[in-house]
């Protein structure tokens, strides 16, 4: 096996996309294995690869890691994207947890019944513009730095950038009232590792379509 981390999930965003973002932002190349059948998933469980019978699965440094949050904090710590001390780590954790709440709504959106789509989209817009984005707008303004925590690029910046782009795909003008976040987005987009990840042909996955939804339901059906 090569020294590259190996990611096992479906060929789509889901709960693995923040892991792809973080590894890419750290400049780390990785390999991917895509689940396409329930049999593949059942075999991983049977072979003892999945501690809690769930993916994402990331094989890194001789470990078979599951649970998105644990995977992300390990990668952040390993690649020096987790602050300089305990207090900075606490801030990063708080910001990341907040962003994850917003991303959960986006993650579930493709699985909404057709008659609930408009209502769920309104909920995402309302939460993004009234609860989550104002927090980060204020943090950046008060902090006066290019980054959310300290004066250094961290896991929190990566997750916020991912969230901004994911919300913009659904609500293109969502940042119109957030000048600090607009500047942040431009600066992040020009960071070499993120710029590369945003290019066509990178491991970044497209927005989920009907085929992805169908595959998810097929692989994970009880």
């Amino acid at each position: 096996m090569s020294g590259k981390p190996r990611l096992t999930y479906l060929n789509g965003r889901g709960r693995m996309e923040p892991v792809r973002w973080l590894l890419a932002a750290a400049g780390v190349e990785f390999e991917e294995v895509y689940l396409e059948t329930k049999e593949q998933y059942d075999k991983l469980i049977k072979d003892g690869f999945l501690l809690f019978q769930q993916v994402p699965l990331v094989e890194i440094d001789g470990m078979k890691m599951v649970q998105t949050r644990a995977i992300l904090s390990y990668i952040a710590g390993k690649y020096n994207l987790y602050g300089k001390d305990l207090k900075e780590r606490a801030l990063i954790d708080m910001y990341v947890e907040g962003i994850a709440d917003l991303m959960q709504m986006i993650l579930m959106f493709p699985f909404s019944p057709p008659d609930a789509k408009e209502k769920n989209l309104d909920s995402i817009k309302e939460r993004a513009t009234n609860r989550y984005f104002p927090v980060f707008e204020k943090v950046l303004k008060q902090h006066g730095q290019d980054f959310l925590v300290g004066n250094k690029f961290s896991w929190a910046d990566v997750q916020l950038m991912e969230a901004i782009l994911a919300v913009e795909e659904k609500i293109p003008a969502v940042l119109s009232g957030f000048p600090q976040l607009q500047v942040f987005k431009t600066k992040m987009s020009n960071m070499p590792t993120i710029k590369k990840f945003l290019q066509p042909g990178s491991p970044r996955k497209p927005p989920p379509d009907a085929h992805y939804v169908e595959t998810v339901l097929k692989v994970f059906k009880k």
Side-chain angles (χ1 to χ4, degrees):
M1 181 183 161
S2 75
K4 291 179 184 173
R6 185 166 136 140
L7 284 49
T8 301
Y9 197 69
L10 292 92
N11 187 6
R13 289 183 183 174
R15 297 188 188 282
M16 187 65 95
E17 196 68 356
V19 177
R20 297 183 188 109
W21 265 89
L22 195 56
L23 285 168
V28 180
E29 289 188 359
F30 51 88
E31 296 173 350
E32 297 203 64
V33 176
Y34 298 129
L35 298 178
E36 290 164 357
T37 66
K38 187 170 189 316
E39 289 69 33
Q40 281 175 291
Y41 177 54
D42 289 342
K43 187 175 187 317
L44 281 176
I45 295 171
K46 188 165 160 281
D47 292 349
F49 273 65
L50 305 178
L51 195 62
F52 300 108
Q53 303 186 12
Q54 293 169 315
V55 287
L57 165 68
V58 174
E59 294 169 80
I60 184 169
D61 296 342
M63 296 187 290
K64 292 178 175 62
M65 293 197 72
V66 293
Q67 298 296 340
T68 312
R69 173 67 212 234
I71 293 164
L72 288 166
S73 58
Y74 180 78
I75 292 166
K78 180 177 169 76
Y79 296 107
N80 204 18
L81 296 168
Y82 212 174
K84 69 176 189 308
D85 56 30
L86 207 51
K87 284 189 175 176
E88 285 198 355
R89 261 176 45 197
L91 278 176
I92 290 168
D93 284 341
M94 283 198 302
Y95 297 157
V96 160
E97 289 289 327
I99 298 161
D101 291 344
L102 175 60
M103 289 303 284
Q104 177 65 16
M105 297 173 76
I106 292 166
L107 190 77
M108 297 314 294
F109 180 75
F111 301 92
S112 316
D115 59 347
K117 284 249 194 285
E118 198 174 329
K119 180 171 165 283
N120 290 351
L121 192 61
D122 287 343
S123 296
I124 290 170
K125 184 178 181 180
E126 192 276 325
R127 287 284 173 88
T129 53
N130 295 333
R131 181 180 295 189
Y132 295 107
F133 287 173
V135 169
F136 297 110
E137 180 76 6
K138 188 176 173 186
V139 167
L140 287 164
K141 190 169 187 180
Q142 289 180 342
H143 188 44
Q145 300 281 352
D146 291 346
F147 307 110
L148 288 171
V149 178
N151 56 357
K152 192 167 175 287
F153 184 49
S154 78
W155 172 21
D157 299 308
V158 180
Q159 290 243 259
L160 180 56
M161 182 63 180
E162 181 191 1
I164 286 170
L165 296 184
V167 176
E168 278 188 330
E169 283 171 353
K170 300 194 170 5
I171 307 142
V174 74
L175 288 190
S176 58
F178 302 102
Q180 298 286 338
L181 288 180
Q182 290 172 34
V183 171
F184 173 84
K185 179 192 157 189
T186 303
K187 284 179 177 165
M188 286 294 123
S189 302
N190 287 313
M191 287 195 66
T193 54
I194 290 182
K195 193 173 186 175
K196 186 179 173 188
F197 189 62
L198 295 176
Q199 299 298 321
S202 86
R204 186 180 179 219
K205 304 297 178 242
D209 58 10
H211 174 70
Y212 173 73
V213 170
E214 195 182 295
T215 308
V216 169
L217 298 175
K218 181 176 75 177
V219 171
F220 299 132
K221 74 167 181 271
K222 294 283 185 265

